[in-house]
Amino acid sequence: MTRRQLHLNAFLMTTGHHEASWRLPESDPHAHVDLAHYVRLARIAERGTFDSLFLADGPQLWSSVAQRPAGALEPITLLTALATATEHIGLIATASTSYNSPYNLARKFATLDHISGGRAGWNIVTTAGAEAARNFGLDAEPAHAERYARAAEFLDVALKLWDSWEDDAIVADKAAGVWGDDAKIHPPRHQGRYFSVEGALNVPRTPQGYPLLVQAGSSEDGKRFAARYAEAVFTAQQTIEDARAFYADLKSRAVAAGRDADHIKVLPGIVPVIGSTEAEARANERVLEDHIVHTHGVDRLERLLHLDPGTLDLDGPLPADLPPESAIEGAKSRYTLIVELARRERLTVRQLIGRLGGGRGHLTFAGTPEQVADTIGLWFGSGAADGFNIMPAVLPSGLDAFVEHVVPILRARGLLRTEYGSSRRTLRERYGLPRPANQHVLAPALV
Amino acid sequence: MTRRQLHLNAFLMTTGHHEASWRLPESDPHAHVDLAHYVRLARIAERGTFDSLFLADGPQLWSSVAQRPAGALEPITLLTALATATEHIGLIATASTSYNSPYNLARKFATLDHISGGRAGWNIVTTAGAEAARNFGLDAEPAHAERYARAAEFLDVALKLWDSWEDDAIVADKAAGVWGDDAKIHPPRHQGRYFSVEGALNVPRTPQGYPLLVQAGSSEDGKRFAARYAEAVFTAQQTIEDARAFYADLKSRAVAAGRDADHIKVLPGIVPVIGSTEAEARANERVLEDHIVHTHGVDRLERLLHLDPGTLDLDGPLPADLPPESAIEGAKSRYTLIVELARRERLTVRQLIGRLGGGRGHLTFAGTPEQVADTIGLWFGSGAADGFNIMPAVLPSGLDAFVEHVVPILRARGLLRTEYGSSRRTLRERYGLPRPANQHVLAPALV
Ligand SMILES: Cc1cc2nc3c(=O)[nH]c(=O)nc-3n(C[C@H](O)[C@H](O)[C@H](O)COP(=O)(O)O)c2cc1C
Ligand SMILES: Cc1cc2nc3c(=O)[nH]c(=O)nc-3n(C[C@H](O)[C@H](O)[C@H](O)COP(=O)(O)O)c2cc1C
């Protein structure tokens, strides 16, 4: 019996998760459209035997391109190119249920799963913000609850589409001239509130059955959705206590929904800033902080908190009269996390911007490789995490440093595989999850 | 001054364009989801210095999977994987303007163009048939004219999105902390009949500016659309006279629209069945014909002609009282081509099925490599074609035979490049087309 294994996901972001990373001498400001940059990152992560790679996404250009690298290659497309440059690592693409149609999106993920030999994952998001809505014929963003209702129906349709071919629907009888068995094709014939989708998918069932389902919203609606559908959950947690409470809550919700608690993996994000001594790590962190342009930070914080421009005072605290989470129709859980962080640590706006600059609300940790491994081990060993979303402040160097210096420690402690091995091929297998049965096929015990 | 060059496009289709190709001993009936199969095809075409590869598509599963390999990987995704396996060849994906949103689709093509270094092309189709419509919330297919009106607005929006970043919008001034120039970002702010799209694309302008625009509908509406937007046109033509008339008509329409006649390339399809003698070629063709299941052919022909099941008599002619093209809301030009072919050659339904089995209405030509090269040269040299859509009946063997035996003849005659060379890198350059200026930047002469 092997020890419980840590799951590592490399959250890739152009020149790094720190908003000022692009200004460092080592960074390429055109990296965001350079396939070679992403191939390099993917190969470093594969050297570190990570479970998966991950790309965030939203169908809009953020406000000002002056502030930092803006725009990004579309994740499913980019990960397809990375599938051909790697052999083992999982490939998780973000896509929105609010601004896609189920038939097209289910098909793209099925295609990626076939091309990658079962390594596709979908980070399911509902997409906050009016900017995105206005690119798809709407005047304003749909209400938060509405977005999650649409997401649930979207998933039901996508699952029907992925199961619309039984695994053995292709008979390929050349002599008889019969290629497929029409009785093993199951058109969804779905008529719902948001979608009506009649026909079967035009892609056969995939190696994994369907992509690993990942979810990344931590509001009440988000957790309810995750408990029902998600096989892995990305989350931003600032303290181990909050992370433990989130972890326990999510597992018990999954159990209440009739699922196995082990079949939903929880991965908080961590922004490791590594130095050979603690002092060096802090110095590395300070270099990044010194490159932050604070007027940009104020602008973004005001948007995030839904405040009028010019409201915030750089050297004062957050206003006392901020609205409650229930009044926010955008990204609810991130809003609350930021407000609570500022209040708990009594941060000025300037200090808050410094803290968010590194990871937008994810835990930032500056230290030696041992200290980073200790923190990961502590969270992993005490009911706060099944693994981590590794979010290097600077890329590729931060990922390289993690793989060179932290990964060997985790391996020595028996927490992380030393090689991929040949028994587990698919992303779902790496995460220790079963291949889903087709909803149209009776479970063997029942036949 | 080099001679006018022939353009060759490899139209790929699983085990080949002949509907019975999957039944041959050499064919892999699972090829349609096998990346390695497509990589092999792409590399053969690149060995033959083709201009481009092409994948057809529709967002629906056709009627019965019993008849032949059904379902296909999504083309943009598959071509992205092929971009990494090739170096020079263009990559043309079909996508529908009726069942996509401009923001998402413009972004995917921009991504493919970045990843491939400027080798992306878009075969713009409006998608006939109720099966597709019912996968996207509609009860029936939109009227033909309606689909083309939507397509025109779709293109206008897509062009605005691709031009929403000027080529030099990224300034990357690390010292000043200024990444982009907001004055060089141009949000479309489009409000139209079918779409409203507010914001700029979240991908910078691409190597080609935008993908090569290809069109493949030959109805009146289709030709009007092509004259305005298309840089290359795929077409099915049964006789050189028809092809010449089509060619002249399209060029003069483009000129009337204020365009250069050389900036719209016309590529009819040809299904070459090659043998070392004419008799061997005919024998190869007969083997394929013998594998046709005629009841399947009747089924498909009845759908195509919008007839009730059971109307057609296998050994009789087509009914005399078929409706005129104007009454057809599906694929208009293909309908007319098939009806005229049957009448002109007085074919029985069985014979017509045999003729369509090879290429669904495209010109099928069985002969020696010399004869195939002669036909291509004749059409090319006499105002019927700027190049050809090569549609092998069986894949990979038919493409391999074309490259091994026909390509050397075309090269010896000075019609086809012998190597890609280094001066032309993008797909648009291969087709001899200029890189489009950004609509927001004044032409140099006017500044
Ligand atoms: C690691 C991580 C990655 C995320 N990536 C995305 C993303 O790519 N796109 C997106 O719209 N939301 C993303 N989110 C979710 C948003 O941050 C936000 O929480 C969500 O849109 C709204 O969820 P909520 O209101 O349920 O909290 C991510 C969240 C986490 C924790
Ligand atoms: C070479 C070629 C390839 C085509 N590929 C597609 C395709 O992939 N998907 C599609 O919907 N239509 C495709 N078409 C167009 C249809 O055959 C049909 O002509 C079109 O949908 C309707 O156009 P029309 O009514 O203007 O003739 C293609 C046509 C040609 C000549």
Side-chain angles (χ1 to χ4, degrees):
Chain A
M1 171 84 207
T2 55
R3 242 176 111 169
R4 176 170 162 255
Q5 291 287 296
L6 181 68
H7 299 288
L8 292 185
N9 177 57
F11 184 171
L12 307 184
M13 172 134 332
T14 61
T15 57
H17 283 271
H18 197 286
E19 64 168 73
S21 58
W22 73 272
R23 298 183 64 192
L24 299 187
E26 74 187 72
S27 294
D28 173 8
H30 298 274
H32 64 317
V33 292
D34 180 12
L35 176 62
H37 173 72
Y38 288 96
V39 167
R40 200 172 311 130
L41 296 176
R43 290 188 175 150
I44 296 171
E46 205 166 49
R47 187 151 49 80
T49 56
F50 277 54
D51 293 69
S52 47
L53 295 178
F54 163 59
L55 293 170
D57 199 52
Q60 72 282 318
L61 184 68
W62 290 114
S63 44
S64 162
V65 300
Q67 302 187 3
R68 55 176 168 172
L73 299 176
E74 192 281 320
I76 302 178
T77 314
L78 175 53
L79 290 179
T80 303
L82 296 184
T84 68
T86 56
E87 232 184 300
H88 307 285
I89 201 162
L91 309 156
I92 303 175
T94 298
S96 172
T97 53
S98 299
Y99 306 114
N100 278 291
S101 57
Y103 199 93
N104 287 341
L105 195 64
R107 185 161 181 230
K108 285 185 182 289
F109 276 110
T111 299
L112 178 58
D113 207 47
H114 276 294
I115 286 179
S116 64
R119 295 190 279 141
W122 175 19
N123 177 38
I124 307 161
V125 298
T126 60
T127 310
E131 287 87 350
R134 293 197 195 106
N135 293 336
F136 295 89
L138 303 179
D139 290 333
E141 84 183 313
H144 191 267
E146 186 79 9
R147 296 203 307 275
Y148 272 104
R150 181 179 155 114
E153 190 182 325
F154 197 114
L155 262 282
D156 290 342
V157 178
L159 290 166
K160 287 180 192 174
L161 286 165
W162 288 318
D163 281 350
S164 63
W165 292 55
E166 293 186 27
D167 285 307
D168 55 357
I170 303 173
V171 295
D173 185 341
K174 290 183 177 183
V178 176
W179 185 78
D181 180 351
D182 285 317
K184 297 194 169 176
I185 302 290
H186 305 278
R189 301 211 173 88
H190 176 91
Q191 300 270 358
R193 181 158 154 223
Y194 298 95
F195 306 108
S196 77
V197 178
E198 178 67 18
L201 198 64
N202 52 356
V203 184
R205 202 157 190 264
T206 74
Q208 291 192 102
Y210 46 85
L212 179 80
L213 302 179
V214 182
Q215 198 272 353
S218 300
S219 64
E220 184 57 30
D221 281 340
K223 285 188 284 197
R224 207 176 306 138
F225 180 91
R228 186 160 154 208
Y229 298 102
E231 299 169 291
V233 171
F234 296 155
T235 182
Q237 301 292 337
Q238 281 284 329
T239 68
I240 192 168
E241 294 75 26
D242 284 354
R244 278 193 194 120
F246 179 82
Y247 185 98
D249 182 31
L250 208 59
K251 299 273 176 169
S252 73
R253 283 173 191 251
V255 170
R259 299 177 58 199
D260 185 328
D262 275 349
H263 292 172
I264 178 166
K265 306 294 182 185
V266 179
L267 286 82
I270 183 169
V271 182
V273 181
I274 300 170
S276 58
T277 61
E278 207 178 312
E280 190 185 304
R282 289 216 187 286
N284 290 342
E285 191 174 39
R286 213 151 35 238
V287 168
L288 284 164
E289 270 174 34
D290 287 346
H291 282 88
I292 290 178
V293 178
H294 283 89
T295 49
H296 296 166
V298 168
D299 176 61
R300 277 204 304 282
L301 196 54
E302 284 170 345
R303 275 168 203 275
L304 234 152
L305 301 177
H306 299 252
L307 298 170
D308 290 331
T311 314
L312 292 177
D313 168 11
L314 203 47
D315 293 301
L318 286 189
D321 58 346
L322 290 171
E325 179 180 298
S326 59
I328 300 297
E329 289 298 332
K332 284 183 185 275
S333 54
R334 195 59 60 89
Y335 173 86
T336 298
L337 180 146
I338 290 169
V339 173
E340 286 182 355
L341 167 65
R343 299 217 165 123
R344 189 175 57 242
E345 305 193 10
R346 300 174 183 278
L347 303 175
T348 63
V349 166
R350 186 188 301 274
Q351 289 166 328
L352 181 59
I353 288 170
R355 285 290 290 276
L356 296 178
R360 302 178 310 283
H362 287 268
L363 180 69
T364 301
F365 186 90
T368 63
E370 287 283 342
Q371 289 172 323
V372 172
D374 288 348
T375 298
I376 288 176
L378 177 65
W379 286 47
F380 178 65
S382 63
D386 293 314
F388 276 86
N389 224 343
I390 305 300
M391 304 170 56
V394 185
L395 287 168
S397 64
L399 187 61
D400 201 64
F402 188 90
V403 168
E404 283 306 303
H405 303 296
V406 181
V407 160
I409 301 171
L410 298 172
R411 285 179 178 156
R413 293 182 187 174
L415 298 178
L416 183 67
R417 62 179 74 86
T418 54
E419 54 177 17
Y420 284 109
S422 56
S423 64
R424 299 179 170 207
R425 303 290 315 166
T426 69
L427 174 55
R428 201 173 259 113
E429 283 167 338
R430 300 229 177 281
Y431 275 97
L433 300 163
R435 182 173 191 268
N438 189 310
Q439 59 187 277
H440 298 289
V441 181
L442 291 179
L446 303 176
V447 176
Chain B
M1 171 84 206
T2 55
R3 245 177 107 168
R4 176 169 163 255
Q5 291 288 295
L6 181 68
H7 299 288
L8 292 184
N9 178 56
F11 184 171
L12 306 185
M13 173 135 330
T14 63
T15 56
H17 284 271
H18 197 285
E19 63 168 73
S21 58
W22 73 273
R23 297 183 64 190
L24 299 188
E26 73 187 74
S27 294
D28 172 9
H30 297 275
H32 64 319
V33 291
D34 180 12
L35 177 62
H37 173 72
Y38 289 97
V39 168
R40 199 172 313 129
L41 296 176
R43 290 189 175 149
I44 295 170
E46 205 165 47
R47 187 151 51 79
T49 56
F50 276 54
D51 293 70
S52 47
L53 295 178
F54 163 59
L55 293 170
D57 198 53
Q60 73 283 317
L61 184 67
W62 290 112
S63 46
S64 163
V65 300
Q67 302 186 3
R68 55 176 169 174
L73 299 176
E74 191 282 320
I76 301 178
T77 313
L78 175 53
L79 290 179
T80 303
L82 296 184
T84 68
T86 55
E87 234 185 300
H88 306 284
I89 200 162
L91 309 156
I92 303 175
T94 297
S96 173
T97 52
S98 300
Y99 306 114
N100 278 291
S101 57
Y103 200 92
N104 287 340
L105 195 65
R107 185 160 181 232
K108 285 184 184 288
F109 276 110
T111 299
L112 178 58
D113 206 48
H114 276 295
I115 286 179
S116 63
R119 295 190 279 141
W122 174 18
N123 177 37
I124 306 161
V125 298
T126 59
T127 311
E131 288 86 351
R134 294 198 194 107
N135 293 337
F136 295 87
L138 304 178
D139 291 332
E141 85 183 311
H144 191 267
E146 185 80 7
R147 297 204 307 275
Y148 272 104
R150 181 179 154 116
E153 191 182 325
F154 197 114
L155 262 283
D156 291 341
V157 178
L159 290 166
K160 287 180 191 175
L161 286 165
W162 288 319
D163 281 351
S164 62
W165 293 57
E166 293 185 28
D167 284 308
D168 56 356
I170 302 173
V171 295
D173 185 341
K174 289 183 177 182
V178 176
W179 184 78
D181 181 351
D182 285 315
K184 296 193 169 176
I185 303 290
H186 305 279
R189 300 211 174 88
H190 175 91
Q191 301 270 359
R193 178 157 156 225
Y194 298 95
F195 306 109
S196 77
V197 177
E198 177 68 19
L201 198 64
N202 52 357
V203 184
R205 203 156 191 264
T206 74
Q208 291 192 102
Y210 48 84
L212 180 79
L213 301 179
V214 182
Q215 200 271 353
S218 300
S219 64
E220 183 58 31
D221 282 340
K223 285 187 282 196
R224 206 176 305 136
F225 181 91
R228 184 157 156 209
Y229 298 103
E231 299 169 290
V233 171
F234 296 155
T235 181
Q237 301 291 337
Q238 281 284 329
T239 68
I240 193 167
E241 294 75 27
D242 285 353
R244 277 191 195 122
F246 179 82
Y247 185 98
D249 182 31
L250 208 59
K251 299 272 176 170
S252 74
R253 284 172 191 251
V255 170
R259 300 177 56 199
D260 185 327
D262 275 348
H263 291 172
I264 179 165
K265 306 294 181 186
V266 178
L267 285 81
I270 183 170
V271 182
V273 181
I274 301 170
S276 58
T277 62
E278 209 179 312
E280 189 184 305
R282 291 218 186 284
N284 290 341
E285 191 174 39
R286 214 155 31 241
V287 168
L288 284 164
E289 269 175 34
D290 288 346
H291 282 88
I292 291 178
V293 178
H294 283 90
T295 50
H296 295 165
V298 168
D299 176 61
R300 278 203 304 282
L301 196 54
E302 285 170 343
R303 277 168 202 275
L304 236 154
L305 301 178
H306 299 253
L307 298 170
D308 292 330
T311 314
L312 292 177
D313 169 11
L314 205 45
D315 293 301
L318 286 188
D321 57 347
L322 289 172
E325 179 181 299
S326 59
I328 300 296
E329 289 299 332
K332 283 182 186 278
S333 55
R334 194 59 59 89
Y335 172 86
T336 298
L337 179 144
I338 290 170
V339 173
E340 286 182 355
L341 167 66
R343 300 218 166 121
R344 187 175 59 244
E345 305 194 11
R346 301 177 183 276
L347 303 175
T348 64
V349 167
R350 186 189 301 273
Q351 289 167 326
L352 181 59
I353 289 170
R355 286 292 289 275
L356 295 178
R360 304 179 307 286
H362 287 268
L363 179 69
T364 301
F365 187 90
T368 63
E370 288 283 343
Q371 290 172 323
V372 172
D374 288 348
T375 299
I376 288 176
L378 177 64
W379 285 46
F380 178 65
S382 63
D386 293 313
F388 276 86
N389 226 343
I390 305 300
M391 304 170 56
V394 186
L395 287 168
S397 63
L399 187 60
D400 202 65
F402 187 90
V403 168
E404 283 307 302
H405 303 295
V406 182
V407 160
I409 302 170
L410 297 172
R411 284 179 179 156
R413 295 183 186 174
L415 298 178
L416 183 67
R417 61 178 75 84
T418 54
E419 54 176 20
Y420 284 109
S422 56
S423 64
R424 299 179 169 205
R425 304 288 317 165
T426 69
L427 174 56
R428 200 174 259 111
E429 283 166 338
R430 298 227 178 283
Y431 275 96
L433 300 162
R435 182 172 190 269
N438 189 310
Q439 60 187 278
H440 298 289
V441 180
L442 291 180
L446 304 176
V447 175

